[in-house]
Amino acid sequence: MRRGGSGFSWPAAFFAFVFLFFVSADGQAEDAAAFFKQNCAGCHTIGGGRLVGPDLKNVTQRQPDRKWLVDFIRDPDAKLNGGDPYAAKLLNEARGVRMPQIPGIDTTLAGQLLAFIEAESGSPDPGAKGAQVSDRPFTAQDIALGRAIFVGETRLVNGGPHCISCHSIVGVEGLGGGRLAPDLTKVFERLGGRKGLGPWLEAPPTATMAPAFKKYPLKRDEEILPLLAFFEHAARQGGVADTSTSTFNFLLIGLGGTVVLLILFDLLWLKRFRAVRKPMILGLDARGQK
């Protein structure tokens, strides 16, 4: 129905508003679900039990202060470093593993995540129960494959970076591993074993690993399971990686390479020196004649 000559219809505007509202709400839910899967599922489930972090089912009932939850999601360190007792309780239950601050979370997105968690909590079959890592016993072949993946002898299916680029671990000789990130010898214990570390590897939540593996995720059965076997094997050996030996080896290789390059430069320069000086001394022209 048109009113006057303006072409404006209140019923049409109302239905358009309702349509846009639901489309917008559905889009926000999809965004929150995708964000949760990429950034939160490595440590949390919704109805699947505790991983590194707590199961988030009914979290808004356990902590009814919604502003507290939004603030904690946006900046966990502010609560943890500020002496907040509930934050300290969560840290203790996580065996000291701190929730990282995830880039890109503002108040709006934190609210959408809480709405997503509430919706999943009320679902009889929530889709965020967490990755199901195989519980079959690890084999010697799994450990060997995990080591090959760790050190880069076996390429990752999706082309992601290998662990040794940034991490060290016991049992890796030669030049050892990188020092940009923590020693992973005890990561299997620290992140809750197979159940906690498996989902963590599937969606690493840290600021450095999340962007590195967002486009190049690890394969659950082909890569994550062997890595878990290797990490468990390393944890049973105990200790930390001996980086002094690898540093000495790296120094020897560097010195050896320098000596070889100096010898090569000397040989090349010696030939050039004779090619110029000899004709000058003997008074030869360009054709080698006096």
Side-chain angles (χ1 to χ4, degrees), residues 25 38 44 66-67 79 115 121 123 134 136 159 171 186 198 203 206 212 227 252 255 257 286:
Q38 183 62 46
H44 300 283
R66 203 173 190 84
K67 183 178 182 306
K79 292 289 186 186
S121 298
S123 171
S134 172
R136 70 168 175 79
K186 297 182 179 178
T206 63
L227 281 173
L252 285 180
L255 290 174

Side-chain angles (χ1 to χ4, degrees), residues 14-30:
F14 172 75
F15 285 118
F17 171 78
V18 171
F19 174 76
L20 291 174
F21 174 80
F22 282 107
V23 168
S24 176
D26 187 54
Q28 291 175 356
E30 291 182 0

Side-chain angles (χ1 to χ4, degrees), residues 200-238:
W200 198 99
L201 290 172
E202 191 155 340
T206 63
T208 51
M209 290 190 66
F213 286 94
K214 184 176 182 180
K215 294 183 179 178
Y216 315 105
L218 296 170
K219 292 287 186 179
R220 185 180 303 169
D221 295 329
E222 299 94 324
E223 295 169 342
I224 291 178
L225 196 62
L227 281 173
L228 290 172
F230 179 59
F231 288 141
E232 185 198 44
H233 176 71
R236 282 193 273 108
Q237 293 184 62

Side-chain angles (χ1 to χ4, degrees), residues 60 63-71 111 114-115 118:
T60 54
Q63 172 51 279
D65 185 345
R66 203 173 190 84
K67 183 178 182 306
W68 190 99
L69 290 171
V70 168
D71 291 343
L114 286 177
E118 287 177 318

Side-chain angles (χ1 to χ4, degrees), residues 103-147:
I105 295 187
D106 56 15
T107 302
T108 301
L109 180 54
Q112 292 170 0
L113 286 170
L114 286 177
F116 169 73
I117 292 168
E118 287 177 318
E120 287 286 294
S121 298
S123 171
D125 185 21
K129 288 191 294 187
Q132 301 299 315
V133 179
S134 172
D135 59 357
R136 70 168 175 79
F138 295 136
T139 65
Q141 186 178 6
D142 292 330
I143 297 171
L145 178 56
R147 187 185 187 283

Side-chain angles (χ1 to χ4, degrees), residues 168-171 183-187 189 234-242:
S168 57
I169 195 169
V170 296
D183 184 311
L184 294 185
T185 302
K186 297 182 179 178
V187 69
E189 298 173 347
R236 282 193 273 108
Q237 293 184 62
V240 294
D242 181 10

